[in-house]
Amino acid sequence: MPVDDYEADATELMETYDFLMKYIVIGEAGTGKSCLLHQFTHNSFKDHSQHTIGVEFSSRTIKLGEKRIKLQLWDTAGQERFRSVTRSYYRGAAGAILVYDITSRASFTNLAQWLADARALASPYLVTVLVGNKSDREEDREVEWAEASKWAAENDLHFLEASSLSGDNVEAPFLLCTRAILLSIESGILDPEKAGSGVSYGDRALRRVNSSSRLSFGSLSGNRRKSGTIKLRLPGPGKKCC
Amino acid sequence: MRSTHKPSVNGVALDETVPGDIAAGARKNLRRDVESKLAESSRKFLKAFGDVDKQLDTLQEHIASMRTQCDEAQTQLEETSEACKALLDRAGSLREERQAIATRQSIVTLFLGQFTLSEDEKEAILSRDVPVGKRFFAAMDKAEKIRDDCRVLMTGEDGPTKAGLEILSATSGYLEQAHQKIFRWCRSEIWQMGRDNQLDVGPSMREAIRRLRQHPELFTEALAYLSQTRQATLLGAFTDALTRGGPGGLPRPIELHAHDPLRYVGDMLAWVHQAIAAEREFLESLFGVRGDMRMVGSVRTFGGSVEEEWMGELMDTAVGKLCTPLKVRVQQTVRSQESSITSYKIANLLQFYMLTMQRTIGEAAQLSKTLKELTDMAYQIFFDAIEAQGRSLLRVAPDLDDISVSPPLVVLDHAQVLREIMVVYESSLAGDETEEQLLSGFRDILDKMVDPAIESCLTSSEEKQKFRPDWDKPVFVLNTLAYLQSVIEPFRFTAEKQGVIQGLIEAKILQLTEEHYKNILTEAGLAEPIAAIGTRQPNEPLSRLPAAQPAQLQAALRQFSLWLSGPGVVESPRLSQLTVQSLAARVQQASLERLAGAYRRLCEEVRKPKNKYEAAATLLGSERPFGQVHLLWQIFGLQHSGEDEYAGKIG
Ligand SMILES: Nc1nc2c(ncn2[C@@H]2O[C@H](COP(=O)(O)OP(=O)(O)OP(=O)(O)O)[C@@H](O)[C@H]2O)c(=O)[nH]1
Ligand SMILES: [Mg+2]
């Protein structure tokens, strides 16, 4: 009988995970970082969002294929005056969600600086996903999808547009990021057993490691996923899922 | 018998030849026949009956003997039947007894099943081979249920029975063993977690901890072990982050940035903050407390559930060990700061984290206390630094060779530092402070930085003037004050100090205006006649005074007229030394207003008959502005409304 079979009152929240990953959410003030996270963790729009003071923490466990991944999410303040505080949180993050506001050209032009900071301060294996937020405000758009997509490609980033207001595409950046990190782990680039990598094993994965073969990613590395588990909606024509 | 009918025998009509003759013969024959036949039959009968009789006799004998036998049988039967009845009765009661026993037996079996652990269950609890898991927990549940049921039974009329007490004692033994087993298992799991550097809690672990709560000693011991392990693990991880960095040294070790004090301190504190967040999630999961989705940093209410209390304590001890390495490094960094701006930034950063930690783990937590200590120390060092800076400002001897009237370099440097500190303070504001909080948060700093600057400006200028009487002290002081004002003006939290400086500036402006008015009064030639007005005896006509005799007055008015067309009306070399143009304009304007007032007084006096000027109108009308004060106002470019303002101030 396996050790952990006692799941009488295992609630969704209490379930164990395979991996723990640390993410930071960065970008100019007012681009909707806190709202994006709120939508992701609470499934609702955060009304009357105030500027974030310093950093705020939240977490959520997601399922990707067969894997359960717990995300520890650090929401950072975009305001310049907090830069000295927030910069310290890049260290040891496995993933970064870089947010700009599609209705603010300035928030887009500053991305280079944000990315440079992230690359300088975080682990070299940091996976970054670029998110053009507020896609619900098409009429006020100042940054074209194609332009951002091109910039993202040039800088080796995943990219998509989302709306923290409608919830549209809000999960996708996190799933994309997680997927990329899992692939890094699988290919041996990232070792969850090493402290400071921003990733660590959970009880579930460890048990599997101990009991059977080394982590098998079967469903993930192949093109076929378990049907119906996740759906990444990527905008734009001809873009393939993952 | 006679009959008309033919006789018939057997229905056959006989043909009789002699009526009655034949018949008689026949009758005779018949009779004979019948009689012999009868006799024959009778003899046969007798003989037969004799046989029968003999046989009947035998039969009788048989029957008699049968009867006797029957009677015997009857008696025997009766006897047997009597005996059987007792047997049957016994069998019946035995059957009943058996039934009763069977029932009791099943009850006892049921009872035993209900009140004892099966071998399988005992094994689950006792054996090392059965892991802490479903089967084990089920066996524990059983033991618990037995105890509960047993207690219920014993509350009945019979009171505590021997069997009941035995059951309780037996199960309590098993439960104790079970708790011991859980405890041992938890220890090894906790150890494992520390080794694997992971913080995930499986359902068995959570259940085990939940069950261990019923055994306070073991529970406390397990938590103590947990807290020890976490301390060691976190301390190890912190040391690694400080000195080794991430895998392969990336991201770089925190200590590598020790030369950048803010980054160094910030990185350490951020690391600790993140460790606390992870620790909290771990404990929530361990105690099965649902994460309340609260963001770390937002206000947490303490003193809630018992779990909350445990978690607080565990988090406190888990990160408590980090205090020492953290403190040593922060102290070192703070103490080695040359720049008061950096000191202030570090103090602010420490305060930010102190507040964050207080909200997260409570004010009483070791880490919160350490941060409070460090924050206080950093502020103290900062205050010491700016006080020293202020004192050094006072010690700077005035440069006697420098004849300029602009703020000295030391003040400029000092103000630059102040400006940066103000920027830091402004950026540290959350925006929801009350006016008083806003002011009080910076009052001390302003006092310590602005007051010595003002003081040094006043005292050193005083001193300098002693050695260089030609040096324009009032202009210097006004310039310095105005400069200080301009530095703090953009920040609303300096309102009080601005008020103080403004007061000083106003006093200086009055003083300068007074001086400037006197200067231009002299330059314009009106000083002597105006002085005469002020000094004459009450009954003495003005025209009799030497300085105001018509000829002298005529000359004075001419000089005034000449002055009016000169540059002195619009500019003054002295006032142009004022760095703030608006102040120069204010002084100039106020002085001109007073000059206009003086001229008006002079005209009024000249026109008065008691002053005995023969041709007053001609005298005044000979030179610009021809005794017309409004014309003078126009020349001065002043608004006429201010005319009376200085009317009384002539002198
Ligand atoms: N229409 C629209 N408004 C949004 C969306 N996301 C955020 N907002 C609004 O944008 C403003 C800023 O959102 P925040 O989430 O507080 O921005 P932030 O990036 O966290 O800002 P800082 O904490 O200062 O860095 C708020 O007024 C939100 O209501 C979106 O998807 N659509
Ligand atoms: Mg925010």
Side-chain angles (χ1 to χ4, degrees):
Chain A
M1 183 184 281
V3 181
D4 283 324
D5 238 354
Y6 202 83
E7 291 182 40
D9 63 348
T11 59
E12 172 75 9
L13 268 167
M14 291 298 171
E15 270 183 70
T16 59
Y17 49 80
D18 296 285
F19 294 101
L20 180 73
M21 296 180 184
K22 225 170 80 179
Y23 285 7
I24 45 167
V25 183
I26 53 175
E28 289 293 312
T31 51
K33 299 181 292 298
S34 302
C35 291
L36 186 78
L37 270 179
H38 194 272
Q39 183 67 260
F40 180 59
T41 53
H42 290 70
N43 271 316
S44 65
F45 182 62
K46 184 182 190 199
D47 286 320
H48 320 293
S49 180
Q50 302 280 317
H51 281 303
T52 303
I53 304 294
V55 288
E56 285 184 344
F57 172 77
S58 56
S59 69
R60 183 186 155 180
T61 304
I62 57 169
K63 241 186 129 176
L64 200 59
E66 301 282 81
K67 301 276 175 294
R68 292 177 56 81
I69 304 104
K70 176 161 191 152
L71 304 182
Q72 289 187 332
L73 306 155
W74 292 90
D75 179 19
T76 65
Q79 286 176 306
E80 174 69 38
R81 64 201 187 104
F82 289 113
R83 217 52 65 82
S84 66
V85 170
T86 56
R87 283 168 142 223
S88 295
Y89 289 77
Y90 288 55
R91 143 187 305 281
I97 309 292
L98 176 55
V99 184
Y100 73 94
D101 175 353
I102 66 152
T103 71
S104 154
R105 181 109 214 128
S107 76
F108 179 74
T109 32
N110 278 343
L111 285 175
Q113 185 54 50
W114 284 101
L115 189 62
D117 260 11
R119 298 235 155 115
L121 297 164
S123 140
Y125 308 114
L126 181 84
V127 174
T128 308
V129 175
L130 178 65
V131 178
N133 191 33
K134 309 197 186 177
S135 64
D136 54 287
R137 291 177 58 194
E138 186 58 47
E139 67 280 14
D140 301 314
R141 180 188 282 277
E142 287 184 2
V143 182
E144 287 309 318
W145 187 90
E147 185 185 4
S149 173
K150 182 163 167 283
W151 187 83
E154 282 164 7
N155 288 282
D156 214 10
L157 306 174
H158 303 268
F159 166 66
L160 38 79
E161 287 187 352
S163 166
S164 331
L165 179 68
S166 69
D168 201 36
N169 240 5
V170 159
E171 307 219 324
F174 298 93
L175 293 170
L176 259 182
C177 198
T178 307
R179 208 185 106 74
I181 295 169
L182 285 177
L183 289 173
S184 292
I185 298 172
E186 185 190 12
S187 58
I189 296 171
L190 215 62
D191 184 357
E193 279 178 334
K194 298 243 169 77
S197 59
V199 189
S200 57
Y201 285 125
D203 195 48
R204 236 169 85 116
L206 283 174
R207 244 183 301 134
R208 207 166 302 155
V209 177
N210 294 339
S211 62
S212 63
S213 61
R214 200 73 197 160
L215 292 175
S216 104
F217 282 79
S219 59
L220 253 172
S221 42
N223 283 333
R224 203 165 307 161
R225 272 182 280 104
K226 265 259 158 98
S227 59
T229 30
I230 45 160
K231 266 235 156 64
L232 292 180
R233 275 167 300 141
L234 291 170
K239 271 242 163 180
K240 273 242 303 271
C241 242
C242 317
Chain B
M1 120 185 157
R2 278 182 219 228
S3 163
T4 52
H5 299 292
K6 287 181 188 175
S8 65
V9 175
N10 293 338
V12 181
L14 294 172
D15 215 1
E16 228 176 342
T17 40
V18 175
D21 206 40
I22 307 171
R27 260 182 239 131
K28 263 190 228 157
N29 289 342
L30 184 61
R31 193 175 285 152
R32 211 180 44 225
D33 283 355
V34 168
E35 277 170 0
S36 73
K37 270 206 176 162
L38 262 173
E40 182 68 12
S41 296
S42 291
R43 262 188 319 271
K44 278 183 186 168
F45 264 118
L46 275 175
K47 192 181 175 284
F49 275 125
D51 287 349
V52 169
D53 190 41
K54 261 185 230 154
Q55 283 187 357
L56 271 176
D57 281 350
T58 348
L59 192 67
Q60 174 124 14
E61 273 163 39
H62 282 303
I63 286 173
S65 88
M66 244 174 78
R67 162 145 315 136
T68 353
Q69 279 180 4
C70 268
D71 282 353
E72 268 167 36
Q74 170 92 15
T75 340
Q76 260 185 25
L77 236 165
E78 268 165 19
E79 278 167 13
T80 310
S81 143
E82 197 64 30
C84 267
K85 192 167 170 282
L87 263 178
L88 277 175
D89 280 356
R90 203 168 138 66
S93 72
L94 277 176
R95 205 176 295 122
E96 269 166 34
E97 230 170 278
R98 200 175 71 177
Q99 188 67 42
I101 287 169
T103 316
R104 271 188 68 178
Q105 190 189 19
S106 73
I107 288 173
V108 168
T109 315
L110 274 174
F111 184 82
L112 281 179
Q114 195 92 126
F115 287 92
T116 53
L117 292 172
S118 68
E119 285 311 310
D120 190 56
E121 287 160 344
K122 285 178 193 166
E123 190 200 359
I125 288 181
L126 300 178
S127 167
R128 286 174 165 270
D129 299 332
V130 180
V132 171
K134 195 175 195 165
R135 189 176 147 203
F136 170 78
F137 290 136
M140 269 191 92
D141 285 342
K142 175 73 183 297
E144 303 269 16
K145 180 155 187 339
I146 289 173
R147 295 175 65 76
D148 288 349
D149 291 351
C150 190
R151 279 196 209 92
V152 170
L153 277 186
M154 296 209 310
T155 54
E157 287 163 13
D158 300 342
T161 59
K162 188 159 171 285
L165 291 173
E166 269 168 15
I167 288 168
L168 283 182
S169 127
T171 46
S172 115
Y174 282 115
L175 279 179
E176 173 68 23
Q177 302 259 32
H179 283 132
Q180 294 282 358
K181 181 168 168 175
I182 289 183
F183 172 71
R184 285 191 304 272
W185 183 77
C186 281
R187 266 183 75 112
S188 93
E189 285 290 298
I190 291 166
W191 181 81
Q192 189 101 6
M193 274 181 182
R195 198 202 57 181
D196 295 341
N197 190 30
Q198 63 98 5
L199 286 176
D200 193 12
V201 179
S204 286
M205 180 73 176
R206 183 158 43 249
E207 180 63 21
I209 288 288
R210 192 183 71 75
R211 285 173 187 259
L212 206 54
R213 284 166 68 165
Q214 284 143 12
H215 200 303
E217 298 97 70
L218 289 179
F219 183 62
T220 314
E221 209 178 324
L223 291 194
Y225 182 70
L226 172 72
S227 126
Q228 256 177 37
T229 316
R230 294 307 307 150
Q231 271 186 357
T233 308
L234 277 175
L235 184 61
F238 187 48
T239 313
D240 277 355
L242 284 171
T243 57
R244 294 164 125 207
L250 291 170
R252 303 207 176 286
I254 293 175
E255 282 191 341
L256 211 70
H257 304 285
H259 59 275
D260 179 349
L262 273 171
R263 177 160 181 197
Y264 183 42
V265 173
D267 278 4
M268 284 192 279
L269 292 170
W271 192 96
V272 174
H273 185 199
Q274 294 178 77
I276 288 179
E279 204 66 20
R280 166 137 200 124
E281 289 224 307
F282 160 65
L283 292 173
E284 276 176 358
S285 158
L286 187 69
F287 291 125
V289 181
R290 256 167 188 277
D292 52 2
M293 303 235 184
R294 186 192 60 90
M295 298 265 190
V296 166
S298 64
V299 183
R300 172 178 292 285
T301 45
F302 291 96
S305 64
V306 61
E307 287 90 352
E308 194 68 42
E309 216 169 281
W310 292 332
M311 289 195 287
E313 222 168 283
L314 285 168
M315 287 207 287
D316 181 9
T317 48
V319 293
K321 271 273 190 301
L322 305 182
C323 290
T324 311
L326 183 71
K327 193 166 160 180
V328 171
R329 285 169 177 79
V330 173
Q331 276 178 339
Q332 217 168 30
T333 310
V334 171
R335 291 212 177 101
S336 60
Q337 285 324 302
E338 307 262 306
S339 144
S340 52
I341 301 163
T342 313
S343 288
Y344 188 59
K345 283 182 180 167
I346 298 177
N348 262 287
L349 188 66
L350 285 166
Q351 187 177 30
F352 174 81
Y353 275 105
M354 176 187 81
L355 295 173
T356 307
M357 298 306 175
Q358 282 179 351
R359 288 190 198 121
T360 318
I361 53 175
E363 278 180 39
Q366 255 171 293
L367 181 67
S368 300
K369 284 184 186 154
T370 301
L371 281 172
K372 168 109 180 58
E373 230 176 278
L374 289 173
T375 306
D376 289 348
M377 183 201 76
Y379 273 117
Q380 193 51 55
I381 286 182
F382 163 70
F383 276 115
D384 289 351
I386 56 172
E387 265 175 67
Q389 205 176 318
R391 278 196 303 275
S392 75
L393 209 56
L394 289 170
R395 277 200 303 272
V396 174
D399 181 0
L400 298 178
D401 297 330
D402 180 11
I403 50 141
S404 88
V405 287
S406 43
L409 213 58
V410 280
V411 171
L412 296 184
D413 287 346
H414 186 75
Q416 185 53 37
V417 172
L418 174 61
R419 185 180 286 127
E420 288 195 41
I421 291 172
M422 288 188 295
V423 170
V424 177
Y425 178 69
E426 181 162 62
S427 73
S428 73
L429 297 172
D432 55 0
E433 291 86 358
T434 63
E435 195 63 19
E436 175 49 28
Q437 283 172 330
L438 203 64
L439 296 176
S440 66
F442 207 70
R443 193 175 284 138
D444 260 12
I445 299 176
L446 275 180
D447 288 350
K448 288 192 163 71
M449 293 206 74
V450 175
D451 292 359
I454 295 172
E455 198 186 331
S456 95
C457 157
L458 296 177
T459 53
S460 73
S461 63
E462 194 81 42
E463 206 175 319
K464 184 167 175 175
Q465 207 182 26
K466 277 187 210 151
F467 293 95
R468 292 202 70 130
D470 55 331
W471 179 67
D472 199 340
K473 180 192 152 211
V475 170
F476 167 78
V477 170
L478 206 45
N479 277 346
T480 307
L481 289 176
Y483 171 70
L484 288 174
Q485 185 76 315
S486 75
V487 170
I488 66 170
E489 227 163 16
F491 303 94
R492 60 199 181 100
F493 49 84
T494 61
E496 286 175 344
K497 199 52 92 189
Q498 286 178 42
V500 172
I501 295 180
Q502 198 53 45
L504 292 170
I505 288 176
E506 291 304 326
K508 288 290 154 198
I509 284 180
L510 276 183
Q511 191 194 334
L512 195 59
T513 305
E514 181 69 26
E515 286 176 19
H516 187 55
Y517 160 66
K518 289 221 168 109
N519 287 342
I520 58 174
L521 196 65
T522 307
E523 280 170 27
L526 296 183
E528 289 191 8
I530 292 296
I533 293 173
T535 53
R536 68 177 157 160
Q537 298 301 312
N539 295 324
E540 200 177 13
L542 189 62
S543 58
R544 298 293 180 270
L545 287 178
Q549 281 169 11
Q552 268 71 20
L553 196 60
Q554 180 80 47
L557 288 172
R558 176 161 310 122
Q559 194 185 336
F560 184 50
S561 164
L562 279 173
W563 185 82
L564 283 182
S565 46
V569 176
V570 285
E571 58 176 41
S572 141
R574 185 184 186 195
L575 294 186
S576 69
Q577 299 272 63
L578 283 173
T579 41
V580 181
Q581 270 310 299
S582 62
L583 286 186
R586 267 186 69 191
V587 174
Q588 176 78 353
Q589 178 168 333
S591 304
L592 289 177
E593 278 173 15
R594 286 184 63 183
L595 185 61
Y599 180 72
R600 190 184 48 130
R601 272 295 292 284
L602 183 64
C603 292
E604 280 165 9
E605 292 295 331
V606 170
R607 286 190 188 110
K608 280 183 188 159
K610 69 163 189 164
N611 279 325
K612 304 211 185 313
Y613 285 99
E614 279 168 19
T618 322
L619 183 64
L620 291 171
S622 65
E623 298 290 347
R624 256 196 349 151
F626 320 113
Q628 296 176 33
V629 178
H630 70 271
L631 196 61
L632 185 57
W633 280 89
Q634 272 176 20
I635 294 168
F636 285 167
L638 299 173
Q639 296 297 312
H640 210 278
S641 57
E643 189 191 348
D644 294 326
E645 207 177 308
Y646 291 96
K649 288 189 182 171
I650 299 165

